[in-house]
Amino acid sequence: MRTQVCIIGGGPSGLLLSQLLHRKGIDSVVLERKTKEYVLGRIRAGVLEQGLVDLMRQAGVAARMESEGYVHDGTQISCGDALIRIDIKALTGKPVVVYGQTEVTRDLYAARENSGGQIEFNVEGVTIHDARTDAPSVTFVRDGTHHRIDCDFVAGCDGFHGVSRKTIPDDVRRDYEKVYPFGWLGVLSQTPPVDHELIYAASERGFALASMRNSNLSRYYIQVPLSHRPDDWPDQTFWGEFKKRIPQGHAARLITGPIIEKSIAPLRSFVTEPMRWGRLFLCGDAAHIVPPTGAKGLNTAASDVHYLYQGLCQHYLEGSDDGIVAYSDKALARIWKAERFSWWMTNLLHRFPEWSDFDLKMQQAEIDFLRSNEAAQRALAENYVGLPY
Ligand code: RFL
Ligand code: PHB
């Protein structure tokens, strides 16, 4: 088999890149380890920056997002019963869009399938060869048969546990990591959202987040110790704890009901450098992870896709490799800013088990400053809505 760009990973990064390239007449094959149903079963991100919204438009997959997504002009932070509303539209001129990653991925799969895009599911043993030459290839096994794809470029869009990052030798690659001493227990419940905007709740009992998917589907999270398992949190225990962490008025009107998904995700900050090795490019979670507090994971994946797409278009359509050569530096410059924001917001809102009384006073002072200072609110809003590409 031969293609121009071999894309490893059929998550949002890989599919978005494939669809954007297709619209410019650039050919790709996507290799996905799991089934489509499995990928669509993962409940993840919910908040889209304007940059990703624009990329969805460029990719020709924005129709459902535009009719079903919620445009949010603000977001809220609570501390005990006090609420701070960050008017992101007034402070930045832009809103965010609440539309689930599952739906983004579903729309991208539909578009690839409608235009005859080649996606190979259930692939095993994916191996990247000769990435530092002008003729890389990728081998894999499916249903016991060995396959080989010759290509011009390899896009490693295979998430944190994929093979692409590990293909870059240890003496070339440098990893930066911070692991947080807690995780998020997330539930999806068939109930109306408790508020029409998100609430990021800093409480003495730990962090909580009230988010949503649609008018009868809520996405709620609470901070839990890393040792906990979803089974430690029967539905009633979850609702009881969640109510204690959000403002009393919201707790009183919270509608509880059937929980249809429950999982725990550990929190981590991680960046690998460089994001390019010869003709192999890392995109999205394959290269970096943020704690979900700033809603930046999917959005940073999208900015990588944007830079790589621009670089590949320059290569194929204008005969210039400038964009490809600059890819890693450009992507990383934006990534580190998103890493900083996600780390800062995690520190602002969570309870760290090892913190002293002094640390807690600092956290309180930071929240008080945010409440009373428009410049602080603008800094949060500009990062939340997404820094420019
Ligand atoms: P993905 O989504 O992990 O997709 C990678 C795909 O590659 C496949 N794969 C392989 N395929 C072939 N061969 C191999 N060897 C392979 N190894 C892996 C995998 O099966 C998979 O299908 O990475 P991608 O595309 O870079 O997308 C990144 C996003 O999924 C991620 O950053 C976000 O979900 C993070 N995130 C959030 N991001 C936001 O922007 N806003 C949010 O509100 C937000 N909330 C969240 C989140 C992530 C969460 N979890 C569970 C980690 C909330 C949560 C709870
Ligand atoms: C979500 O809706 O899943 C969500 C929203 C905001 C975040 C993280 C997750 O910061």
Side-chain angles (χ1 to χ4, degrees):
M1 236 187 287
R2 172 149 186 98
T3 189
Q4 290 174 303
V5 184
C6 182
I7 298 175
I8 307 176
S13 311
L15 295 169
L16 181 60
L17 179 64
S18 176
Q19 176 65 10
L20 286 165
L21 292 175
H22 165 73
R23 307 258 295 180
K24 293 284 182 188
I26 302 167
D27 185 45
S28 66
V29 174
V30 176
L31 303 178
E32 168 55 48
R33 184 169 58 176
K34 304 282 189 183
T35 61
K36 182 167 107 179
E37 292 63 39
Y38 183 94
V39 175
L40 291 176
R42 292 193 287 231
I43 315 293
R44 288 184 167 184
V47 177
L48 314 188
E49 294 176 352
Q50 204 57 50
L52 174 50
V53 168
D54 291 344
L55 281 174
M56 294 279 285
R57 290 189 184 123
Q58 276 182 58
V61 293
R64 213 160 58 91
M65 174 189 73
E66 262 151 15
S67 65
E68 295 176 20
Y70 294 137
V71 175
H72 280 198
D73 290 347
T75 196
Q76 307 174 88
I77 290 180
S78 73
C79 185
D81 287 333
L83 259 188
I84 310 170
R85 181 169 186 272
I86 311 291
D87 192 332
I88 45 182
K89 179 80 186 291
L91 290 163
T92 69
K94 288 177 239 161
V96 291
V97 173
V98 175
Y99 187 63
Q101 176 170 332
T102 312
E103 306 312 316
V104 169
T105 312
R106 196 188 302 281
D107 295 342
L108 286 165
Y109 270 127
R112 291 314 294 124
E113 283 161 6
N114 284 342
S115 47
Q118 195 178 347
I119 306 175
E120 305 284 338
F121 291 100
N122 287 317
V123 301
E124 296 169 303
V126 169
T127 311
I128 302 163
H129 308 273
D130 303 322
R132 296 199 66 204
T133 72
D134 288 349
S137 63
V138 177
T139 54
F140 64 94
V141 179
R142 209 201 32 233
D143 297 333
T145 309
H146 291 258
H147 300 266
R148 170 184 166 126
I149 301 182
D150 293 295
C151 53
D152 301 330
F153 299 101
V154 180
C157 303
D158 48 354
F160 186 63
H161 301 287
V163 295
S164 301
R165 185 177 66 253
K166 294 166 200 151
T167 301
I168 304 180
D170 288 349
D171 59 346
V172 173
R173 203 180 89 214
R174 173 127 190 233
D175 294 346
Y176 300 83
E177 184 171 49
K178 179 177 176 63
V179 175
Y180 299 83
F182 40 74
W184 279 18
L185 167 69
V187 307
L188 194 62
S189 102
Q190 283 172 324
T191 52
V194 67
D195 195 294
H196 67 286
E197 290 182 343
L198 271 65
I199 302 173
Y200 289 87
S203 99
E204 284 175 8
R205 303 179 66 90
F207 172 76
L209 168 61
S211 183
M212 66 202 68
R213 290 295 176 269
N214 62 44
S215 61
N216 197 41
L217 204 52
S218 297
R219 182 69 169 152
Y220 297 135
Y221 298 94
I222 54 172
Q223 170 189 350
V224 295
L226 279 176
S227 56
H228 284 202
R229 298 287 160 258
D231 288 349
D232 298 329
W233 290 91
D235 294 4
Q236 287 317 316
T237 315
F238 172 82
W239 290 122
E241 184 61 34
F242 185 72
K243 282 185 183 178
K244 289 181 187 152
R245 297 188 188 190
I246 59 174
Q248 269 181 32
H250 284 86
R253 61 175 182 267
L254 177 79
I255 299 174
T256 62
I259 288 179
I260 55 172
E261 199 263 356
K262 197 186 280 168
S263 55
I264 294 182
L267 265 64
R268 178 196 309 272
S269 297
F270 175 90
V271 180
T272 202
E273 292 187 349
M275 287 172 59
R276 163 180 169 246
W277 187 59
R279 287 185 168 231
L280 166 64
F281 301 87
L282 304 181
C283 262
D285 280 16
H288 42 76
I289 297 289
V290 285
T293 326
K296 289 286 162 259
L298 177 61
N299 291 304
T300 47
S303 63
D304 294 350
V305 167
H306 163 82
Y307 293 125
L308 183 53
Y309 165 62
Q310 295 294 329
L312 291 170
C313 286
Q314 277 179 24
H315 173 87
Y316 285 111
L317 309 177
E318 298 166 25
S320 161
D321 279 349
D322 291 354
I324 280 171
V325 170
Y327 170 72
S328 181
D329 289 344
K330 274 193 175 176
L332 283 166
R334 192 174 187 278
I335 293 309
W336 278 114
K337 292 182 194 129
E339 289 283 344
R340 184 206 69 81
F341 176 65
S342 306
W343 161 87
W344 174 79
M345 221 166 137
T346 302
N347 279 279
L348 181 75
L349 300 171
H350 290 73
R351 285 271 147 159
F352 285 67
E354 73 275 17
W355 272 6
S356 66
D357 288 348
F358 181 84
D359 296 325
L360 289 169
K361 284 285 188 190
M362 288 298 97
Q363 185 184 47
Q364 191 56 55
E366 185 103 35
I367 293 175
D368 290 345
F369 183 59
L370 183 67
R371 189 196 327 273
S372 57
N373 187 284
E374 196 189 280
Q377 292 187 9
R378 178 169 288 114
L380 191 157
E382 283 182 3
N383 280 280
Y384 194 76
V385 83
L387 298 175
Y389 285 0

